[in-house]
C-alpha cells in the first residue's frame, strides 16, 4: 500500500491521541463529573487506535506525516510503519482493558482526580512515542510518558513508600532520558539531522555504535527493567492503582522494548555479532534475577513487577539472539528469535495486564496485597480465580496458552545456537538457554506459590474471609485478556502472520507460513522437519486426557463411603496459620539461591523450655544491586556534596589560598603541556 | 640597544628582590618602606621603558606610580597604622624559611613557564614578563601568608606593581588603561582603609581572624 493510501490510518492514530489528550484535558480542568468520562472516552480512543494499528499491520501500510513544529531545522515527523503499528496494538489493547477495568472503579470507589487525567495522558504519550519519527518528538513524548506515569505512581502520595517509589522512578527516568539524548546525538552525528530517516542513512563508527548501544541499554533498558537497572520497577509499578500497574508493567515496558528495537534494529543499520552480547547477558541475568526476587517476595503486586523484570529479560534474550543470528547470516533462525521477542512482548502485555488486574480485584475485594493476609479466595472470588488461573498458566508457559508459544520459539532459537560462526556466541547461547530454562522452572514455582497462597487454602486474614467478587466491568476486562491469552496460544499462526512483514524487514526472511506444518494451525520453527508445535491438537489431547484421568479417578476412588478418623489425619487444628505460607513455600529456593544472590541469612530465636515467649525465625536479605548501584552512588554524591559544602564556610585567607592554588595548578599545567 | 634591556632587567630584578623582602619583613613600618622602595623602582623601570621605547606617555605612568604608590599610599598607610596604633610586630602564618622557599619555587615556575610559552616572542621582553609574573605571584603569596589587614593591602598593591611592570614591558598598552588601573588601585586603597577602620571599630583589632568570629562558623 502506498503512503498516500495509508494516511487515514495515521490520522486515526493521531485522532485517538487527540481523544486521549482531550479526555486528560477535560478531566484535569473540570474534575468532578468529567473524571467519570475519562474511561469511556479512553475506550473509544483505544478502540479507534487499536483498529488503526491492526489495519496498518494487516495492510502492511507505511504512512508518514511532516508537520512544521518541533525543532526548527527538523520539523515534526510522524510515521506509522509496521513496528509502530505492532507495538501500537500492544499499547492500545492494554489501554482498552485497563479502561474497561476503570469503568468498574467508577461505580465502587470515588474517582481520584490525581489518577484519571494522567491515565489518559499516559495513554496518549505512549501512542505518541510509537509514531514519533524524529529524535526530538521521540524524546519529548518519551519524557511525557515518564512524567505521566510518575504522576500516577505518586497519586497516593500520603504513603511514604509511594513517595520513595516516585523519587526513585523520577531519578531513573531522568537518567534514562539523558542516556537516550546521547544515543540520538551519536546517531545524528556531526551533521546533526535529527529525523529518523536521516539517521538510517548514516554509517556510525564502532565507537559511536558502542555509545549508542550503551545509551540504549541504560535509557530504554532502565525503562524496560533490565537488571541491574530494574530497581525502580518493583517500587513504582505496585505503587500505582492496579489498572495503571497493568499499563506500566504490561505496556510501558513494551514501549521501552520498542525503543530498543527502533534504535538497534532499525536506526543503527546492519548488526555486528558483538551487539548481541549486552542483550544476551543482561537478558539472562534479568530472567533469573527477576524471578528469584519474585519467588521470595511477599507482596502480590511487587511479585508481579519482579516477574516483569524476568519477562523483559526473556524478550531481551530474544532480541540478542536475533542480532546474533542476523549478523551471522542465519536469517531463518533470526526470524525465529525476532518472532519470539515480538510475540513475547505481545503475550506478556496480555497476561501481565490480566494478572495485575486480577491483583487489583484481590486488592479491591480484601484491601490487602500481602500474601500473608490472603488465601482461600477461590471461594469468594470464583470468576477472578478462574481468570487469574489463565494468566498464571500463560505466564508459567504452559500449553495451550500464549506464554508457551513465545518461550517455545525462543528455545527453538537457542537450539539453533551451535550454527554460530563465532566461538563466544557458540559458547554463550547454550549458557543463556540454561539460564532461561532455570527461569522458566522458577516462573512455574513462583506462580504456583502465588496462586496457591492467594486463592487456595484457607483465608489468612478476616478481610480475606469476607472478600467480595470484582464487579462486572472488571471481570469483563480480565475476561477479554484471558480470551486473548487463549487465542494467542491456540492460534499463534495468526499472530505470526501478523508480524511476518516485520520479520522480513528486521530478520531478513519470514517464518514458515500457516499450513507449512502437518496441520493448518501448527507452528513451524526453522523447518517442519525439525520442530513444530500444534497448539489445538495439544489442547485437545490435554482436555481428553484430563477428562479421562478425572473420570477414572472418580470412578475408581468413589466406590464406597469412608469414615474419617477422629484426629483428622493429623490435622486437628483448623487455624489458618498451620497451612503453607508464601515464605515457607519459597524456603527451599531461598536456601539454594538466596545466600549467593541476596546474602540471605537466618537467625532462629528459640526460647528456653518454660519460657512463654514465641520462637522467632528472622530472615535477612541484602539487595546487592540496590546497594551497589543505587545506594552507594547516592551516598557518594551525598558525602561529596557535604564535603564540598564546607567550601561555603572558609576563612578569607583560605579562599585566597584556593584561588592561588588554582592559579598555580593551571600555570603548572601550562608549563608542562606547552 | 642591548643595555636598555639590561637596565630594565636590573630594575625588574630589584623589584623582585623587594618582593622577597616584603615576604619576610615582620615589622609593619619596614613592610611599608620596602613597598615604597618597590614602587619607586617601578617608577624608574617604567620611566626607563618610556625612554628606551620612545613612548613619552609612559612618563605619565611613571609619575603616577611614583606619586601614588611611592609616596601617597605609603604615607596614607603609615598614618593609618599610627592611628590604629598597631606598630608592633606582624605575625605570620608560615615561618619565614618556608615562605621564602615557596617564593623561590614560584619564581622558578614563572621563569620556566614564561620562557617556555613565549619561545617565539621577542627575546628581551620575555625575561621582563617572567619577572613581572614572579612579582605578581609573590604578591598573592604575601596576601595569603599575612593575617594583618594592612599588610594584606600591601600585598595587593605589590601584586598590582607586577601587573604594571608587565604591561609597560609589553609594547602597545594604551595610556588610558594604565591610568585607570592606577586610579582603581587608589580607590581600592580607600575602600580597604574604610573597611580596616570599621573592622577596628568593631573588633578592636585588624587581625582578619577577628572577622571570622562574627560569622560564627569558625571551627
Amino acid at each position: 500500500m502506498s503512503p498516500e493510501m495509508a494516511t487515514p490510518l495515521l490520522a486515526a492514530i493521531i485522532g485517538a491521541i487527540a481523544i486521549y489528550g482531550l479526555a486528560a484535558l477535560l478531566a484535569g480542568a473540570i474534575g468532578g463529573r468529567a473524571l467519570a468520562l475519562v474511561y469511556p472516552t479512553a475506550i473509544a480512543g483505544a478502540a479507534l487506535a487499536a483498529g488503526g494499528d491492526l489495519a496498518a499491520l494487516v495492510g502492511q501500510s507505511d504512512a508518514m506525516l511532516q508537520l512544521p513544529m518541533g525543532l526548527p531545522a527538523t520539523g515534526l515527523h510522524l510515521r506509522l510503519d509496521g513496528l509502530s503499528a505492532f507495538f501500537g496494538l500492544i499499547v492500545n489493547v492494554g489501554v482498552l482493558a485497563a479502561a474497561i477495568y476503570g469503568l468498574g472503579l467508577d461505580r465502587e470507589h470515588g474517582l481520584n482526580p490525581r489518577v484519571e487525567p494522567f491515565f489518559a495522558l499516559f495513554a496518549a504519550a505512549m501512542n505518541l512515542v510509537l509514531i514519533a519519527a524524529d529524535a526530538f518528538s521521540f524524546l519529548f513524548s518519551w519524557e511525557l510518558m515518564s512524567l505521566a506515569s510518575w504522576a500516577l505512581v505518586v497519586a497516593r502520595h500520603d504513603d511514604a513508600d509511594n513517595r520513595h517509589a516516585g523519587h526513585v522512578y523520577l531519578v531513573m527516568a531522568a537518567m534514562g532520558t539523558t542516556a537516550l539524548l546521547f544515543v540520538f546525538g551519536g546517531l545524528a552525528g556531526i551533521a546533526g539531522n535529527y529525523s529518523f530517516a536521516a539517521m538510517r542513512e548514516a554509517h556510525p563508527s564502532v565507537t559511536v555504535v558502542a555509545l549508542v548501544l550503551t545509551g540504549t541499554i541504560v535509557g530504554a533498558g532502565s525503562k524496560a527493567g533490565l537488571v541491574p537497572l530494574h530497581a525502580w520497577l518493583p517500587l513504582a509499578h505496585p505503587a500505582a492503582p492496579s489498572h495503571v500497574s497493568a499499563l506500566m508493567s504490561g505496556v510501558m515496558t513494551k514501549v521501552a522494548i520498542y525503543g530498543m528495537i527502533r534504535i538497534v534494529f532499525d536506526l543503527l543499520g546492519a548488526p555486528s555479532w558483538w551487539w548481541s552480547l549486552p542483550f544476551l547477558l543482561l537478558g539472562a541475568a534479568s530472567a533469573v534475577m527477576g524471578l528469584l526476587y519474585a519467588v521470595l517476595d511477599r507482596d502480590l503486586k511487587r511479585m508481579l513487577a519482579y516477574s516483569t523484570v524476568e519477562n523483559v529479560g526473556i524478550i531481551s534474550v530474544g532480541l540478542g539472539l536475533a542480532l546474533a543470528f542476523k549478523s551471522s547470516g542465519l536469517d531463518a533462525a533470526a526470524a525465529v528469535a525476532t518472532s519470539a521477542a515480538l510475540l513475547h512482548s505481545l503475550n506478556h502485555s496480555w497476561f501481565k495486564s490480566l494478572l495485575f488486574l486480577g491483583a487489583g480485584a484481590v486488592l479491591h475485594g480484601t484491601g490487602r496485597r500481602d500474601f500473608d493476609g490472603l488465601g482461600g479466595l477461590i471461594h469468594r472470588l470464583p470468576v477472578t480465580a478462574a481468570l487469574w488461573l489463565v494468566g498464571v498458566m500463560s505466564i508459567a508457559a504452559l500449553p495451550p496458552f500464549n506464554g508457551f508459544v513465545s518461550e517455545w520459539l525462543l528455545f527453538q532459537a537457542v537450539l539453533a545456537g551451535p550454527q554460530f560462526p563465532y566461538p563466544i556466541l557458540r559458547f554463550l547461547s547454550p549458557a543463556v538457554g540454561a539460564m532461561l530454562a532455570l527461569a522458566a522452572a522458577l516462573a512455574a514455582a513462583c506462580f504456583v506459590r502465588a496462586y496457591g497462597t492467594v486463592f487456595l487454602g484457607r483465608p489468612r486474614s478476616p478481610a480475606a474471609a469476607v472478600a467480595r467478587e470484582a464487579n462486572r466491568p472488571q471481570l469483563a476486562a480480565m475476561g477479554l485478556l484471558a480470551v486473548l491469552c487463549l487465542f494467542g496460544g491456540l492460534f499463534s499462526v495468526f499472530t505470526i502472520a501478523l508480524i511476518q512483514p516485520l520479520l522480513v524487514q528486521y530478520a531478513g526472511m519470514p517464518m514458515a507460513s500457516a499450513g507449512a506444518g502437518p496441520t493448518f494451525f501448527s507452528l513451524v520453527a526453522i523447518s517442519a522437519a525439525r520442530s513444530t508445535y500444534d497448539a489445538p491438537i495439544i489442547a485437545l489431547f490435554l482436555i481428553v486426557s484430563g477428562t479421562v484421568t478425572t473420570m477414572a479417578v472418580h470412578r475408581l476412588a468413589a466406590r464406597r463411603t469412608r469414615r474419617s478418623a477422629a484426629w483428622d489425619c493429623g490435622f486437628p487444628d483448623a487455624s489458618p496459620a498451620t497451612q503453607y505460607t508464601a515464605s515457607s513455600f519459597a524456603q527451599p529456593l531461598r536456601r539454594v539461591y538466596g545466600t549467593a544472590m541476596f546474602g540471605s541469612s537466618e537467625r532462629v530465636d528459640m526460647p528456653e523450655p518454660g519460657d512463654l515467649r514465641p520462637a522467632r525465625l528472622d530472615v535477612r536479605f541484602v539487595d546487592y544491586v540496590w546497594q551497589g548501584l543505587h545506594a552507594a552512588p547516592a551516598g557518594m554524591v551525598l558525602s561529596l556534596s557535604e564535603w564540598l559544602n564546607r567550601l561555603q564556610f572558609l576563612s578569607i585567607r583560605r579562599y585566597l589560598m584556593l584561588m592561588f592554588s588554582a592559579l598555580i595548578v593551571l600555570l603548572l599545567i601550562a608549563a608542562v603541556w606547552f | 640597544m642591548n643595555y636598555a634591556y639590561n637596565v630594565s632587567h636590573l630594575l625588574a630584578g630589584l623589584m623582585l628582590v623587594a618582593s622577597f623582602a616584603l615576604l619576610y619583613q615582620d615589622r609593619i613600618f619596614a613592610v611599608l618602606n620596602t613597598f615604597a622602595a618597590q614602587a619607586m623602582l617601578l617608577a624608574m623601570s617604567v620611566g626607563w621603558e618610556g625612554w628606551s621605547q620612545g613612548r613619552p606617555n609612559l612618563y605619565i605612568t611613571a609619575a603616577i606610580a611614583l606619586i601614588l604608590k611611592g609616596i601617597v599610599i605609603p604615607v596614607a598607610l603609615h598614618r593609618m597604622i599610627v592611628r590604629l596604633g598597631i606598630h608592633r610586630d606582624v605575625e605570620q602564618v608560615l615561618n619565614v624559611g618556608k615562605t621564602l622557599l615557596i617564593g623561590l619555587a614560584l619564581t622558578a615556575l614563572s621563569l620556566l613557564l614564561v620562557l617556555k610559552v613565549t619561545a617565539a616572542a621577542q627575546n628581551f621582553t620575555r625575561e621582563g614578563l617572567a619577572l613581572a609574573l614572579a612579582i605578581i605571584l609573590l604578591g598573592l603569596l604575601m596576601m595569603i601568608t599575612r593575617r594583618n589587614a594592612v599588610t594584606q593591602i600591601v600585598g595587593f598593591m605589590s601584586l598590582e606593581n607586577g601587573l604594571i611592570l608587565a604591561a609597560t614591558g609589553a609594547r602597545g598598552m594604551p595610556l588610558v588603561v594604565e591610568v585607570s588601573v592606577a586610579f582603581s588601585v587608589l580607590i581600592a586603597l580607600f575602600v580597604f582603609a574604610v573597611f580596616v577602620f570599621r573592622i577596628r571599630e568593631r573588633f578592636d583589632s585588624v587581625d582578619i581572624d577577628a572577622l571570622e568570629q562574627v560569622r560564627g562558623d569558625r571551627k
Side-chain angles (χ1 to χ4, degrees):
Chain A
M1 205 184 269
S2 66
E4 291 77 26
M5 291 283 284
T7 314
L9 296 177
L10 182 55
I13 305 296
I14 296 173
I17 293 174
I19 291 174
Y20 290 139
L22 199 67
L25 205 65
L26 282 179
I30 301 173
R33 287 275 178 87
L35 292 180
L37 291 176
V38 165
Y39 293 118
T41 322
I43 289 173
L48 176 63
D53 286 323
L54 193 61
L57 209 51
V58 171
Q60 302 186 21
S61 72
D62 189 350
M64 288 177 74
L65 187 65
Q66 192 173 357
L67 298 173
M69 294 155 72
L71 277 189
T74 312
L76 179 66
H77 297 256
L78 300 176
R79 180 172 179 195
L80 181 70
D81 62 355
L83 194 63
S84 303
F86 176 72
F87 279 92
L89 196 63
I90 294 180
V91 166
N92 290 304
V93 170
V95 172
L96 186 67
I100 294 175
Y101 184 90
L103 289 178
L105 282 184
D106 165 44
R107 263 184 285 166
E108 295 281 323
H109 288 300
L111 291 164
N112 186 351
R114 293 180 191 280
V115 172
E116 273 69 33
F118 295 109
F119 177 85
L121 187 68
F122 186 35
M126 286 194 290
N127 270 296
L128 213 54
V129 171
L130 299 178
I131 60 169
D134 66 275
F136 180 75
S137 47
F138 184 91
L139 286 173
F140 175 80
S141 39
W142 182 275
E143 196 63 8
L144 192 65
M145 173 178 86
S146 298
L147 287 178
S149 53
W150 172 77
L152 291 164
V153 167
V154 293
R156 288 174 194 154
H157 58 91
D158 42 344
D159 187 345
D161 284 348
N162 291 359
R163 289 200 299 275
H164 174 63
H167 182 182
V168 174
Y169 179 31
L170 203 60
V171 172
M172 293 294 280
M175 188 192 74
T177 310
T178 313
L180 286 180
L181 211 61
F182 281 103
V183 167
F184 288 119
L187 283 171
I190 300 165
N193 192 330
Y194 286 98
S195 74
F196 283 177
M199 289 177 188
R200 245 172 238 126
E201 302 305 317
H203 299 287
S205 65
V206 177
T207 327
V208 173
V209 167
L211 173 83
V212 167
L213 281 179
T214 314
T216 310
I217 292 287
V218 174
S222 69
K223 182 69 85 194
L226 277 183
V227 166
L229 302 163
H230 65 280
W232 66 275
L233 198 137
L235 297 173
H237 287 184
S242 295
H243 60 305
V244 178
S245 308
L247 272 191
M248 289 182 72
S249 219
V251 172
M252 188 172 71
T253 52
K254 305 307 170 309
V255 177
I257 300 283
Y258 162 82
M260 285 186 197
I261 298 178
R262 177 62 81 195
I263 292 169
V264 178
F265 283 70
D266 187 9
L267 300 181
L268 213 48
S272 302
W273 66 272
W274 57 271
W275 296 14
S276 63
L277 294 180
F279 292 95
L280 289 175
L281 294 174
L282 294 183
S286 303
V288 173
M289 288 291 285
L291 265 173
L292 282 177
Y293 280 116
V295 85
L296 295 178
D297 208 89
R298 289 162 60 177
D299 181 296
L300 176 57
K301 284 179 78 176
R302 201 163 56 217
M303 181 278 288
L304 290 175
Y306 275 127
S307 138
T308 296
V309 173
E310 182 242 348
N311 283 282
V312 165
I314 290 176
I315 297 169
S316 165
V317 168
L319 295 179
L321 285 175
L323 284 171
F325 285 122
K326 183 87 176 66
S327 60
S328 312
L330 303 165
D331 285 359
V336 175
T338 313
S339 66
L342 292 176
L343 274 193
H344 202 69
S345 299
L346 184 69
N347 293 336
H348 179 250
S349 81
W350 289 342
F351 55 67
K352 187 48 64 69
S353 296
L354 168 59
L355 290 172
F356 259 115
L357 294 183
V362 168
L363 182 60
H364 191 188
T366 63
R368 306 190 64 152
R369 52 181 229 206
D370 54 325
F371 286 129
D372 296 339
L374 298 169
L377 292 180
I378 196 165
H379 302 295
R380 308 290 308 182
L381 287 76
V383 186
T384 305
L387 294 173
W388 221 69
L389 187 61
V390 173
V392 162
M393 288 167 75
S394 303
I395 200 166
L398 295 181
F401 293 99
N402 60 355
F404 180 79
V405 175
S406 34
E407 296 214 16
W408 180 80
L409 283 171
L410 190 58
F411 280 107
Q412 294 305 320
V414 168
L415 291 179
Q419 301 174 33
F420 278 122
Y422 308 101
I424 293 183
L425 290 178
R426 262 207 307 276
F427 161 74
L428 200 58
S429 62
V432 166
M435 298 287 267
L436 286 182
L438 173 62
L442 284 173
C446 177
F447 281 92
V448 166
R449 165 181 179 261
Y451 194 83
T453 321
V454 174
F455 288 101
L456 306 181
R458 281 165 296 153
R460 292 181 179 79
S461 69
V466 296
R468 281 169 307 137
E469 176 63 290
N471 54 33
R472 275 204 191 146
Q474 297 179 339
L475 293 177
M478 287 187 269
L480 169 72
L481 291 168
V483 168
L484 283 174
C485 285
L486 188 59
F487 171 83
L490 285 177
F491 305 112
S492 49
V493 282
F494 294 127
T495 40
I496 290 284
L498 216 53
I499 59 170
Q500 291 286 30
L502 295 181
L503 299 180
V504 173
Q505 190 175 353
Y506 297 115
M509 67 182 283
M511 293 272 289
S513 57
T519 69
F520 180 78
F521 293 111
S522 52
L523 190 60
V524 177
I526 303 180
S527 74
R530 272 182 62 158
S531 45
T532 60
Y533 166 59
D534 204 322
I537 288 181
I538 287 184
L540 197 66
F541 169 75
L542 286 174
I543 291 170
V544 170
S545 64
T547 315
V548 167
T549 312
T550 316
M551 280 169 62
V553 166
H554 270 267
R555 279 197 73 83
L556 294 175
R559 281 273 168 81
R560 56 192 173 85
T561 48
R562 286 176 294 178
R563 288 175 177 275
S564 62
W567 292 103
D568 200 7
C569 297
F571 197 46
D573 183 10
S575 162
T578 55
Q579 54 186 341
Y580 251 67
T581 63
S583 306
S584 56
F585 189 90
Q587 192 223 32
L589 286 170
R590 193 192 75 224
R591 290 251 169 100
V592 175
Y593 298 104
T595 323
M597 305 295 254
F598 307 110
S600 74
S601 57
E602 289 179 17
R603 199 164 55 81
V604 182
D605 177 23
M606 187 64 74
E608 294 292 310
D611 195 346
L612 289 182
R613 77 195 154 87
R616 280 186 63 82
L617 173 68
D618 283 322
V619 182
R620 287 175 194 283
F621 295 99
V622 187
D623 191 341
Y624 291 122
V625 173
W626 175 263
Q627 295 219 319
L629 222 66
H630 300 266
M636 255 153 61
V637 168
L638 207 65
S639 60
L640 190 68
S641 61
E642 243 164 44
W643 186 76
L644 284 177
N645 193 32
R646 276 195 269 164
L647 289 183
Q648 307 280 343
F649 303 101
L650 294 182
S651 63
I652 300 170
R653 227 176 35 235
R654 289 251 167 77
Y655 281 126
L656 279 175
M657 196 115 76
L658 270 185
M659 249 167 55
F660 186 62
S661 6
L663 179 67
I664 296 299
V665 166
L666 288 177
L667 287 178
L668 272 175
I669 290 174
V672 172
W673 223 263
F674 294 102
Chain B
M1 208 55 197
N2 217 347
Y3 73 99
Y5 284 106
N6 286 340
V7 172
S8 68
H9 287 169
L10 173 70
L11 291 171
L14 285 174
M15 279 179 72
L16 185 61
V17 171
S19 276
F20 272 105
L22 280 175
L23 272 184
Y24 75 81
Q25 283 298 342
D26 54 0
R27 296 208 162 254
I28 198 155
F29 284 130
V31 167
L32 277 188
N33 291 340
T34 318
F35 171 68
Q38 192 187 36
M40 286 179 183
L41 283 169
L42 173 72
M44 284 164 68
S45 169
V46 173
W48 178 259
E49 290 288 338
W51 183 77
S52 68
Q53 293 179 19
R55 290 166 65 199
N57 55 12
L58 284 183
Y59 294 135
I60 302 174
T61 315
I64 292 173
L66 185 68
I67 295 168
L68 277 183
K69 301 191 134 179
I71 300 166
V72 176
I73 291 176
V75 169
L77 286 174
H78 197 280
R79 289 178 61 180
M80 213 158 95
I81 289 161
V82 172
R83 277 185 57 191
L84 291 166
I86 47 163
H87 24 276
R88 52 191 168 86
D89 282 3
V90 201
E91 50 201 293
Q92 285 183 321
V93 179
L94 287 167
N95 62 35
V96 174
K98 274 186 196 163
T99 314
L100 284 181
L101 276 178
I102 294 174
L104 267 178
L106 290 178
T107 312
L109 171 68
S110 49
L111 279 169
L112 204 76
L113 177 76
V114 172
L115 295 184
K116 202 173 166 190
V117 171
T118 61
Q122 207 184 349
N123 233 355
F124 297 102
T125 48
R126 291 162 58 201
E127 285 85 356
L129 213 55
L131 292 171
L133 182 61
I135 294 170
I136 292 170
L137 291 180
L138 289 180
L140 266 173
L141 182 63
M142 182 174 174
M143 285 182 79
I144 292 172
T145 51
R146 302 285 175 151
R147 324 183 72 144
N148 185 300
V150 175
T151 44
Q152 280 200 328
I153 296 174
V154 172
F156 176 76
M157 298 288 165
S158 153
L159 182 158
E160 207 271 340
N161 282 347
L163 277 180
I164 293 202
L165 181 69
T168 52
R171 284 154 199 265
M173 173 134 147
L175 180 68
V176 168
V177 177
E178 287 163 27
V179 172
S180 57
V181 166
F183 275 105
S184 70
V185 168
L186 194 63
I187 288 163
L189 175 76
F190 285 136
V191 174
F192 278 137
V194 169
F195 268 104
V196 169
F197 277 105
R198 304 226 66 164
I199 293 167
R200 154 78 186 204
E201 270 170 34
R202 290 195 83 100
F203 304 113
D204 283 338
S205 164
V206 286
D207 191 324
I208 55 163
D209 286 349
L211 268 179
E212 283 149 21
Q213 282 161 12
V214 79
R215 296 202 316 187
D217 52 32
R218 196 155 153 80
K219 286 171 189 150

